[in-house]
Amino acid sequence: KVPVLFISNPGVGKTTPVYYLAKVIGYETVLLRGNSTTAEEVMGYDVAPRDVTYDHKMAAINLRPSWFEEVLRNKEAGKKTLLFLDEITTANEFVQAALLHLIFERKVHTENLPEDTLIVSAGNYAQNLSNTMGLLPPVMNRFELFNITPQDRDIDTFLNKYEGGTIGKKVDYSKELEKVMVE
């Protein structure tokens, strides 16, 4: 249950392999993108109940975020979920604080993530970000980090994506990638 963080330079290829991994291992992918998510979208929205009169002792209720509803629907349907926290290094500190609770406690507000939910993240190195972005140390400490660096064969595959050079017929390497990932 240790969450994973793939970290590298931009454009190296973190997002696509995560989707392929989920497909190969039979998981549904649910995406939370750090740079376009609010803390409320991570943990849910606290609202006053509509159907009661004001009472200062009445607590707010928490509305589940839509991504969590999707995870729970997957569970009900007998499907496992890979929760993908993409662009986590571009999330602001308030979103990262909410993600810390999600990652460390495996909870959304007070509800647990399903036991078989995997948490996988991707982000860029600090030198590729503005000085207002970066991963907070308590968040980073919750992950097993994998530095992604392209190998020569990866570059060859990318450059040979088209038969006969860059103007040839496009070749789909997804089946070959799936085969390698299964092995």
Side-chain angles (χ1 to χ4, degrees), residues 6 14-23 29 82 84 120-122:
F6 295 112
K14 299 175 290 290
T15 300
T16 301
V18 169
Y19 280 98
Y20 276 119
L21 171 67
K23 182 178 176 183
T29 305
L82 185 151
F84 184 32
V120 177
S121 297

Side-chain angles (χ1 to χ4, degrees), residues 5-12 14 87-90 122-131 133-135 140 145-150:
L5 171 60
F6 295 112
I7 194 156
S8 73
N9 291 314
V12 167
K14 299 175 290 290
E87 300 292 344
I88 192 170
T89 53
T90 61
N124 297 322
Y125 294 128
Q127 70 262 22
N128 300 126
L129 304 169
S130 76
N131 60 1
M133 295 178 181
L135 204 52
M140 184 177 287
L145 299 174
F146 289 91
N147 290 294
I148 306 299
T149 55

Side-chain angles (χ1 to χ4, degrees), residues 89-100:
T89 53
T90 61
N92 69 46
E93 60 194 26
F94 301 108
V95 172
Q96 287 188 40
L99 289 172
L100 179 62

Side-chain angles (χ1 to χ4, degrees), residues 13-175:
K14 299 175 290 290
T15 300
T16 301
V18 169
Y19 280 98
Y20 276 119
L21 171 67
K23 182 178 176 183
V24 167
I25 64 175
Y27 278 65
E28 299 294 317
T29 305
V30 172
L31 173 68
L32 271 175
R33 192 175 310 277
N35 58 1
S36 59
T37 301
T38 66
E40 293 79 16
E41 289 170 316
V42 174
M43 283 292 121
Y45 299 87
D46 288 334
V47 296
R50 287 188 314 174
D51 55 348
V52 295
T53 57
Y54 177 75
D55 179 354
H56 71 282
K57 296 177 187 175
M58 176 62 76
I61 58 173
N62 185 267
L63 299 178
R64 290 177 178 156
S66 59
W67 69 266
F68 187 52
E69 287 287 340
E70 188 176 351
V71 170
L72 296 176
R73 281 192 303 274
N74 286 344
K75 183 68 176 173
E76 278 182 25
K79 299 175 183 177
K80 298 176 182 178
T81 300
L82 185 151
L83 178 58
F84 184 32
L85 311 175
D86 199 10
E87 300 292 344
I88 192 170
T89 53
T90 61
N92 69 46
E93 60 194 26
F94 301 108
V95 172
Q96 287 188 40
L99 289 172
L100 179 62
H101 177 75
L102 171 64
I103 296 161
F104 187 61
E105 299 290 332
R106 294 183 56 85
K107 287 185 176 189
V108 177
H109 194 59
T110 59
E111 294 181 87
N112 293 326
L113 284 175
E115 285 293 318
D116 55 9
T117 302
L118 298 178
I119 299 175
V120 177
S121 297
N124 297 322
Y125 294 128
Q127 70 262 22
N128 300 126
L129 304 169
S130 76
N131 60 1
T132 61
M133 295 178 181
L135 204 52
L136 298 173
V139 176
M140 184 177 287
N141 293 338
R142 300 305 188 257
F143 288 105
E144 182 168 347
L145 299 174
F146 289 91
N147 290 294
I148 306 299
T149 55
Q151 306 295 312
D152 289 343
R153 68 173 187 211
D154 299 325
I155 295 168
D156 288 343
T157 300
F158 177 76
L159 292 176
N160 290 307
K161 184 175 178 181
Y162 298 93
E163 269 180 27
T166 57
I167 58 171
K169 179 182 161 194
K170 188 173 181 178
V171 178
D172 182 3
Y173 285 104
S174 61
K175 294 294 181 203

